[in-house]
Amino acid sequence: MEYQGINNWEGLLDPLDDTLRSEILRYGQFVEAAYRSFDFDTSSPTFGSCKFSKNSLLTRSCIRETGYKPIKNLRATCGIQLPGWIHRGPSWVSTQSSWIGYVAVCQDKEEIARLGRRDVVVVFRGTATCLEWLENLRATLTSLPDDVPNVGSHGGGAMVESGFLSLYTSGNATCPSLQSMVREEIGRVLEAYGDEPLSLTITGHSLGAALATLAAYDINSNFGNAPPVTVISFGGPRVGNQSFRCQLEKRGTKILRIVNSDDLITKVPGFVIENNDMAVNVAGLTSWVQKRVEEAQLVYADVGQELRLSSKECPHLSKGSVASCHELSTYLELVNGFVGSNCPVRATAKRVLGEHHRKNWHLCSL
């Protein structure tokens, strides 16, 4: 359970514990499977859907044997109201609901024995459709539905980024909200396996990392009997304000944020207070500017524990583009090579998504 964050990964991050490294990479592969399973082809009539059947998702996406069985496909719906004329354009432009990830349950007895419990993983991919990009740009904070204000030193209630909340809570006549799908499936899991040791691990990259954080908050808020909930976040943007962070901590949600310091996405949206990154520190601005930022609902707070990496410390990644710094493959390679702050990269580190990995993917795709 220490690797699930029961002690906030104390003593495991710097230097990076080898077992924790393996666990992070293992969950990263689940996210990689989500990307590989998504139909990115805008000319395809199945754009925005999962290319594989639920039962074959993990094997067809060519990640190693996991011992997990997918039990639920998840979809997210954009809540932006579109003008009627947009439907006269290409269908991929106005795709409102799309496959966003899946839920899988560990069924392998040896893996259950190794973990000491049955693990349930909820996986989210990153941004892939036009409307998801539009939702990402809705950066102002908004109150959570039915939120009980967290009145204290920071005042007010928990607030999160408007676009992320919209993607999590919106539904339509043909597709229920992602929130309702997550709640329904977690309820089924607790009913089926509630009499044995369980853990819920929610993982995602980019937008998926933000949705993972919202899902963790939602689960711990709505299931009094929820098992330990852990988020493994790769390259995630900021999600909510200080009160949101306090509520997450109060509910016992454990979050490990893997951050590439050269990745711009981890520095947005908004600004933060009491953060070491002075480039975006509201406290470093004039009082007038700071007041305007607060009034605009753009003051965020980072959540959980941080594992900070850097592309610049890795010789073959140091000259990468802004986009490559954010790629999941870059994150997995950095995790695989990271030793500690005094020795950022292992000289003997394998390139987990290098030639060997690409060769395996090529063979699987034939």
Side-chain angles (χ1 to χ4, degrees):
M1 294 304 293
E2 285 192 33
Y3 297 111
Q4 290 292 118
I6 193 171
N7 293 321
N8 294 312
W9 297 280
E10 184 176 350
L12 299 176
L13 299 176
D14 192 6
L16 181 59
D17 179 89
D18 280 336
T19 301
L20 178 58
R21 181 199 321 278
S22 297
E23 289 299 289
I24 293 171
L25 292 174
R26 186 170 70 88
Y27 287 113
Q29 284 194 312
F30 286 116
V31 184
E32 187 181 5
Y35 277 116
R36 290 182 174 182
S37 300
F38 184 78
D39 189 349
F40 284 94
D41 184 1
T42 55
S43 65
S44 169
T46 58
F47 168 72
S49 65
C50 182
K51 296 187 292 185
F52 311 128
S53 69
K54 183 177 63 180
N55 290 335
S56 67
L57 188 157
L58 292 177
T59 54
R60 293 286 301 278
S61 58
C62 295
I63 68 171
R64 67 176 179 81
E65 179 59 39
T66 64
Y68 286 67
K69 178 184 178 181
I71 59 172
K72 178 72 173 181
N73 282 315
L74 300 173
R75 297 181 67 86
T77 300
C78 170
I80 296 176
Q81 296 300 312
L82 300 174
W85 56 262
I86 201 169
H87 297 288
R88 294 195 291 270
S91 60
W92 58 268
V93 175
S94 57
T95 300
Q96 281 199 286
S97 295
S98 58
W99 186 83
I100 195 81
Y102 59 96
V103 181
V105 177
C106 186
Q107 302 284 20
D108 184 77
K109 291 182 179 180
E110 291 185 4
E111 185 69 356
I112 292 172
R114 184 185 74 84
L115 295 171
R117 63 195 181 279
R118 186 187 297 273
D119 187 45
V120 180
V121 64
V122 183
V123 184
F124 300 111
R125 61 161 175 80
T127 307
T129 71
C130 287
L131 295 186
E132 287 170 2
W133 280 110
L134 288 178
E135 290 282 32
N136 289 346
L137 297 175
R138 298 171 63 190
T140 55
L141 291 160
T142 188
S143 296
L144 285 161
D146 304 320
D147 177 58
V148 177
N150 178 34
V151 179
S153 59
H154 299 283
M159 303 179 77
V160 297
E161 203 249 25
S162 301
F164 301 153
L165 183 63
S166 174
L167 282 168
Y168 188 66
T169 59
S170 298
N172 56 36
T174 59
C175 182
S177 69
L178 177 58
Q179 180 184 55
S180 64
M181 284 187 277
V182 168
R183 287 183 181 182
E184 181 181 355
E185 200 58 32
I186 295 304
R188 288 175 181 168
V189 166
L190 295 179
E191 186 175 346
Y193 304 109
D195 59 347
E196 58 183 280
L198 274 179
S199 62
L200 294 179
T201 307
I202 313 177
T203 185
H205 170 249
S206 193
L207 167 64
L211 294 175
T213 303
L214 288 177
Y217 178 96
D218 190 40
I219 291 168
N220 270 335
S221 298
N222 287 277
F223 292 92
N225 60 337
V229 177
T230 300
V231 174
I232 306 294
S233 160
F234 297 93
R238 300 180 186 126
V239 179
N241 65 356
Q242 181 79 358
S243 291
F244 178 68
R245 180 172 73 182
C246 290
Q247 292 289 350
L248 281 167
E249 293 172 351
K250 181 179 179 181
R251 287 165 168 78
T253 305
K254 304 300 181 181
I255 300 176
L256 179 58
R257 290 186 300 112
I258 296 95
V259 172
N260 180 356
S261 58
D262 305 304
D263 179 6
L264 295 178
I265 298 301
T266 63
K267 306 177 189 297
V268 296
F271 301 85
V272 293
I273 293 178
E274 300 173 354
N275 188 286
N276 292 329
D277 190 350
M278 294 304 294
V280 292
N281 192 338
V282 175
L285 302 176
T286 66
S287 58
W288 183 87
V289 174
Q290 178 170 333
K291 185 177 180 180
R292 299 290 83 78
V293 169
E294 290 172 346
E295 289 175 350
Q297 301 293 4
L298 288 171
V299 178
Y300 283 73
D302 290 323
V303 298
Q305 301 298 310
E306 180 181 272
L307 174 60
R308 182 166 285 270
L309 313 169
S310 174
S311 294
K312 292 179 181 177
E313 302 291 349
C314 190
H316 60 275
L317 294 175
S318 60
K319 296 181 180 179
S321 65
V322 172
S324 66
C325 287
H326 182 58
E327 291 173 355
L328 177 63
S329 59
T330 297
Y331 272 85
L332 298 185
E333 196 157 341
L334 288 173
V335 169
N336 189 61
F338 181 74
V339 177
S341 56
N342 294 327
C343 180
V345 180
R346 293 187 290 174
T348 59
K350 297 177 183 178
R351 296 182 61 180
V352 291
L353 290 178
E355 293 302 324
H356 174 72
H357 201 79
R358 286 194 290 271
K359 186 181 295 182
N360 285 346
W361 171 235
H362 175 68
L363 290 173
C364 275
S365 62
L366 294 178

